[in-house]
Amino acid sequence: MATLKETLATEIPAARQKIKDLAKEHGQRIIDQVTLEQIFGGMRGVNCLVCDTSKVPPERGLIIRGKPIAEVADRLPEEIFWLLLTGSLPDAAGLKSLHNELTSRAEVPPYVWNVLNAMSADAHPMCMLSTAILCMEGESVFHKRYDSGLRREEFWEPTLEDALNIIARVPAIAAGIYRKRFNKGPRIPNDPVLSWGSNFARMLGVPDPKGTFAELMNLYLVLHCDHENGNVSAMAASTVNSALSDLYYSVSAGLNGLAGPLHGLANQECLGWTLEAMKKFNGTPTKDQMREHATATLAAGKVIPGYGHPVLRITDPRFTCFYNFGKTHCPDDPVFKTVSTVYEVVPDVLKHLHKVKNPYPNVDAASGALIYHYGLTEGIYYTVLFGVSRTLGYCAQAIWNRALMQPIFRPKSVTTEWLTQTAPTAALLPPNRDSSRM
């Protein structure tokens, strides 16, 4: 039986050599060009980052290490973490060893609860989660080993240790935040028998007599685990980690990026828009009523939350996974029925707007309604669920960035004056190249 660390130790040397050979043979090749529009558009579509844990082709959706997300959606989050790191799913022995590793590290230091208890009673749950991760920085194995002298080739090993410690503790921390912030009663202790996601569901304290809320949480944690490196939170975490700041700093930074309304709050906003429609029409709207609501939203200069995606040009496969879960477990729930009506109506409404490149639902269009169905109705907390899941991706990317000895991030910036002088004489893109979709 090979442990996760042993598996990585056998794969890293070959991966390092591959990168070295690639850079030596093709180091001067031009991979992409950047347009002025992309510079002012948040660098969207510029190929300038490396991420081997996952990719998101516009016509296919999330693919983790070569496996489309729908093919692994029924796996446990621990299995997906192994997949993110090694490119393969663990065998039974490997999964057991990882479970034991996480269980042995799951105890949250008492001072974390002291810090959280000292925060304002109305602190945002994401601020609480980020603070809890950051306040554990003094326990960083990487920090301690780096200060005592550590070869660059070995940086990945203590990074893995930090990752396992953070991942092991984050469910208990997130669940404790939920119970404290929303007055749900005392914290619920870990159950060492349960899987990572099921244990998280249990510690939240949401009634779950049939076990389907735990099933939803496992699905949620898998579907949100990783999404390339160019999104705000993953890039923030990677940028901080590239300075050899340890994972406590970088995971906290990633969570801070995820807290923004243009990134991690989408499922909360989707649910709010759905509930707004139900209130407006005194129940589940008809197709005509939902068409009216969608049109009014657009006429007011707003977007329809949960529809469209900066990368995808299809229905997000993760939405399909959530949608199928809802059809199986709560097809008659009024909120889910409204989500279904939105799905039937909104794409056609958006297709009439020629500027809309993707009128289809993304992952957030259904997830909030499902969480709401099980009684976790505090929308302000939903981003924490996202953060617990995305911690898997932050950590996996960081381990490989250190294993491949990636340098500090340092892109060059230019001034608007320089662009003003340079742009008029710069070459134009070929007519058939759409820079916004690269």
Side-chain angles (χ1 to χ4, degrees), residues 260-281:
L262 294 183
H263 191 11
L265 300 189
N267 63 350
Q268 175 185 338
E269 294 181 348
C270 289
L271 176 63
W273 187 80
T274 301
L275 295 175
E276 176 187 314
M278 295 180 68
K279 182 178 180 180
K280 179 178 180 181
F281 297 109

Side-chain angles (χ1 to χ4, degrees), residues 111-132:
Y111 65 79
V112 174
W113 304 121
N114 293 337
V115 169
L116 292 176
N117 287 334
M119 295 182 73
S120 169
D122 62 352
H124 195 289
M126 280 296 282
C127 179
M128 298 174 76
L129 181 61
S130 174
T131 300

Side-chain angles (χ1 to χ4, degrees), residues 4 8 53 65 81 84-85 102 133 155-156 158-168 170 196 225-226 229 233-234 237-238 241 246-248 250-252 254-255 387-403:
L4 180 58
L8 282 170
T53 54
R65 292 287 190 176
F81 182 59
L84 285 166
L85 283 174
L102 295 176
I133 298 296
F155 284 177
W156 71 271
T159 301
L160 174 62
E161 291 295 314
D162 284 351
L164 292 171
N165 286 331
I166 291 172
I167 290 169
V170 74
W196 190 73
C225 68
D226 202 48
N229 184 241
S233 60
S238 292
N241 193 247
D246 59 60
L247 267 178
Y248 294 89
S250 57
V251 168
S252 181
L255 293 170
V388 172
S389 174
R390 192 52 64 87
T391 298
L392 301 174
Y394 300 154
C395 290
Q397 290 186 23
I399 291 163
W400 269 106
N401 285 340
R402 299 287 69 77

Side-chain angles (χ1 to χ4, degrees), residues 396-419:
Q397 290 186 23
I399 291 163
W400 269 106
N401 285 340
R402 299 287 69 77
L404 297 178
M405 298 179 286
Q406 299 285 14
I408 189 172
F409 283 9
R410 186 57 176 91
K412 181 70 175 71
S413 61
V414 296
T415 65
T416 303
E417 180 182 4
W418 183 89
L419 288 171

Side-chain angles (χ1 to χ4, degrees), residues 107-118 131-140 144 169 173 187 248:
E107 184 175 355
V108 178
Y111 65 79
V112 174
W113 304 121
N114 293 337
V115 169
L116 292 176
N117 287 334
T131 300
I133 298 296
L134 189 58
C135 81
M136 294 189 292
E137 192 279 331
E139 310 213 7
S140 171
K144 293 172 183 176
R169 295 170 181 175
I173 292 171
R187 294 190 302 272
Y248 294 89

